[in-house]
Amino acid sequence: MKFPIYLDYHATTPVDPEVFETMAPYFTQVFGNAASRNHEYGWTAEAAVEKARAQVARLVRASERELIFTSGATESNNLAILGVAEMYREKGNHLITTPIEHKAVLDTCHFLEKKGYEVTYLPVDKHGRVNPEDVRAAIRPSTILVSVMAANNEIGTINPIGEIGKICKEKGVLFHSDAVQAAGKVPLDVEKMGIDLMSLSAHKMYGPKGIGALYVRRKNPRVRLAAQIHGGGHERGMRSGTLNVPSIVGFGKAAEIAERVMGEETARLRRLRDKLWDAIRSELDEVYLNGHPTERLPNNLNVSFAFVEGESLMMGMKELAVSSGSACTSASLEPSYVLKAIGVGEDLAHTSIRFGLGRFTTEEEIDFAIQKVVSTVRKLRDLSPLYEMVKEGIDIKSVQWSAH
Ligand SMILES: *Cc1c(COP(=O)(O)O)cnc(C)c1O
C-alpha cells in the first residue's frame, strides 16, 4: 500500500496510464496546431481533436458538433451562465440555481447579481436534493436559465435532472447542469434528460487537469452563447484559443474508458463504499450519514462523527488523504456551505469527513481505512468528557453548565 491512501477522488483523480500513453505522442511528434489548414501537421492534430470530441460526446449521448472544449469545468460553468445571461438579456434577467452548487456556479451567479440580474436559490431537502416542482414554481416569464448540478461534489447526492429538464422544456427555459461528478459514474443522456448545456471536466474522470468541455445544444432549441474569450473564432466562435491537443486527446481517451468500464467500476466502488460505511456504523455509535442514502454517487461517503473534534480527527488519520467538512477561509474555520444548506449543525459539520473512492482504490486500502477511522474516533472519544456523560445516560442538554 502507498501512504497516505488516496480517498479524495472528488477533488481530482490520477491520469489513467492508458490515457497518459495515448497523450504522449501529441507533445513531441503530432504537435501541430489543429487550426493549421495548410499542412499535414495541422490536419493530423485536427483529426485527433475531432476523434476526442466524438468520444466525449458519446459519454453524454450528444452529437460531436455540440461539444466545445474549455480549460475545465470552472470555465464551462462560467461560459454557460455568463454566455446565456448576456445573450438572452433582452428576454429576461432571472436565473434559478441551488445553494449547493460548486463555487464556479455560485460565484458566477453572485457576479451576475451585482450586474443587475436576479437569482433564485432553490431550497434543497435534508439530503441535498432539489424538488422538481420547486423549479416549476420558481420559473417566471423573465427566467432565462436553470442551473442544477447532476451530482454534488461533497455529499454525492444525485439530483432528478431528467425531471427538471422536462419541466424546463415545458416552460421553454434553458437548462444547464454541472455534471462533473456524475460523468462516468451515472449514465447521462442530454436528449432524454432535456439538458441544453452541460459542464464536464477531464481531471475528475482520470484525464488531465486543465481541460473540460461544455455541451451546447444545437437544435430544439439551438442555444446561443455570448463568447467570454475572444480571438480567432475557435470552437464555433464560442471559445477562442489554440486547442490543447494533448489534453483533448487524453480527455477523449478518458471518456472512452469511462464508457467502457462504468458498469463494472461503479458496482465495485459501491461495494467498497458500502463496506466502509457498514463497518463504521456497526463499530461506532453517534455517526451520521450526510447526503442521500440511495440517490448518491457510488464512490461517495460523507459522514459526521459526533463527540470528536474535527481537527484532531484529521490529525489522527494522516495515513488517509480525505477531505473534511471545514474549509479554512481567511484564518477562520468555516463549516461547509453544502452541509449548512442541508441543515447539518456546525458541530457535526466540523467533524464530517468526505471519503471519495476511485478506480485505483483497493479492498486492502478500504480495510486499512476502516481500522484507522474506527480506532481514531474511539481514541478521541475516550478523551471526551461529553461523550462519557452521554454514555452514562446523562442528558447533556439538561446540564446546567457553570462558568467556573
Ligand atoms: C471539480 C469541479 C468543478 C471544477 O472543475 P475544474 O475542471 O477543476 O475547473 C466544477 N464542478 C464540480 C461539481 C466539480 O466537482
Side-chain angles (χ1 to χ4, degrees):
M1 271 188 287
K2 184 177 177 293
F3 289 102
I5 293 169
Y6 190 72
L7 289 172
D8 205 12
Y9 278 83
H10 300 294
T12 194
T13 63
V15 169
D16 189 299
E18 196 183 331
V19 168
F20 189 56
E21 214 172 283
T22 311
M23 289 170 69
Y26 291 88
F27 287 98
T28 52
Q29 292 157 41
V30 195
F31 60 85
N33 185 327
S36 296
R37 291 282 154 77
N38 303 313
H39 50 69
E40 183 79 29
Y41 292 89
W43 302 330
T44 338
E46 192 191 11
V49 165
E50 293 318 313
K51 181 181 174 190
R53 202 187 297 280
Q55 286 168 317
V56 178
R58 197 173 306 127
L59 185 66
V60 298
R61 304 292 178 256
S63 127
E64 64 267 24
R65 293 162 73 224
E66 301 178 298
L67 215 83
I68 284 167
F69 287 114
T70 64
S71 65
T74 297
E75 188 190 330
S76 299
N77 286 340
N78 271 263
L79 175 56
I81 296 166
L82 299 177
V84 165
E86 193 180 329
M87 191 57 100
Y88 295 82
R89 183 67 186 80
E90 302 277 272
K91 186 177 178 252
N93 72 336
H94 180 236
L95 295 89
I96 298 170
T97 188
T98 85
I100 66 165
E101 297 296 308
H102 189 271
K103 285 288 182 191
V105 167
L106 290 178
D107 287 349
T108 305
C109 287
H110 294 151
F111 170 79
L112 283 176
E113 283 180 289
K114 282 193 218 132
K115 300 267 170 189
Y117 288 83
E118 287 179 48
V119 182
T120 297
Y121 299 90
L122 295 171
V124 288
D125 68 14
K126 63 176 200 250
H127 300 308
R129 277 195 122 208
V130 172
N131 180 348
E133 288 310 313
D134 288 342
V135 176
R136 188 194 297 281
I139 292 175
R140 312 172 186 169
S142 62
T143 307
I144 49 176
L145 185 70
V146 170
S147 180
V148 176
M149 69 198 326
N152 183 269
N153 45 299
E154 286 191 34
I155 54 176
T157 298
I158 298 168
N159 267 314
I161 51 170
E163 287 170 60
I164 296 170
K166 206 168 144 204
I167 290 167
C168 292
K169 282 278 128 351
E170 270 174 50
K171 297 275 188 175
V173 174
L174 296 180
F175 179 36
H176 166 250
S177 186
D178 175 344
V180 170
Q181 295 289 339
K185 295 174 193 87
V186 179
L188 294 170
D189 185 322
V190 292
E191 287 307 324
K192 278 196 200 140
M193 294 173 158
I195 293 166
D196 301 307
L197 294 144
M198 178 189 271
S199 302
L200 299 169
S201 179
H203 79 98
K204 305 287 175 78
M205 44 183 276
Y206 312 97
K209 293 167 186 56
I211 191 78
L214 181 66
Y215 159 76
V216 184
R217 179 175 289 282
R218 272 183 86 100
K219 55 174 198 282
N220 306 318
R222 183 185 182 90
V223 177
R224 293 174 306 133
L225 289 182
Q228 302 300 308
I229 295 177
H230 308 275
H234 308 75
E235 300 297 271
R236 289 163 55 201
M238 292 186 203
R239 203 281 186 177
S240 288
T242 301
L243 293 178
N244 180 349
V245 179
S247 291
I248 288 171
V249 166
F251 190 6
K253 189 47 133 184
E256 183 208 292
I257 298 172
E259 167 107 50
R260 191 172 74 220
V261 306
M262 179 154 42
E264 214 178 308
E265 183 164 281
T266 53
R268 189 183 78 89
L269 292 178
R270 183 174 283 115
R271 190 184 67 75
L272 288 179
R273 189 272 314 273
D274 289 347
K275 179 179 185 180
L276 178 59
W277 174 227
D278 289 343
I280 288 173
R281 65 175 162 174
S282 66
E283 298 286 325
L284 299 167
D285 56 5
E286 300 286 345
V287 293
Y288 302 94
L289 180 71
N290 299 312
H292 203 282
T294 54
E295 293 302 312
R296 78 186 295 134
L297 293 172
N299 65 326
N300 174 282
L301 180 64
N302 190 312
V303 185
S304 289
F305 300 88
F307 305 107
V308 298
E309 206 255 313
E311 197 68 2
S312 317
L313 182 59
M314 289 296 280
M315 295 288 277
M317 0 188 266
K318 280 193 175 140
E319 295 89 345
L320 308 181
V322 290
S323 272
S324 80
S326 313
C328 295
T329 49
S330 59
S332 74
L333 215 56
E334 282 280 318
S336 138
Y337 66 91
V338 173
L339 295 178
K340 204 170 161 184
I342 62 169
V344 175
E346 204 157 312
D347 285 354
L348 283 178
H350 279 307
T351 66
S352 77
I353 301 284
R354 177 185 71 180
F355 301 90
L357 286 65
R359 185 167 293 164
F360 306 105
T361 304
T362 64
E363 181 113 32
E364 195 188 13
E365 287 176 333
I366 292 301
D367 289 338
F368 182 91
I370 290 168
Q371 173 263 315
K372 195 75 219 172
V373 171
V374 169
S375 66
T376 307
V377 172
R378 279 195 185 140
K379 215 180 298 168
L380 291 172
R381 284 180 177 173
D382 280 347
L383 304 169
S384 160
L386 222 51
Y387 181 68
E388 205 172 306
M389 285 169 73
V390 169
K391 288 297 102 180
E392 283 164 7
I394 300 168
D395 177 6
I396 52 168
K397 286 195 190 77
S398 71
V399 173
Q400 297 286 314
W401 300 101
S402 145
H404 301 284

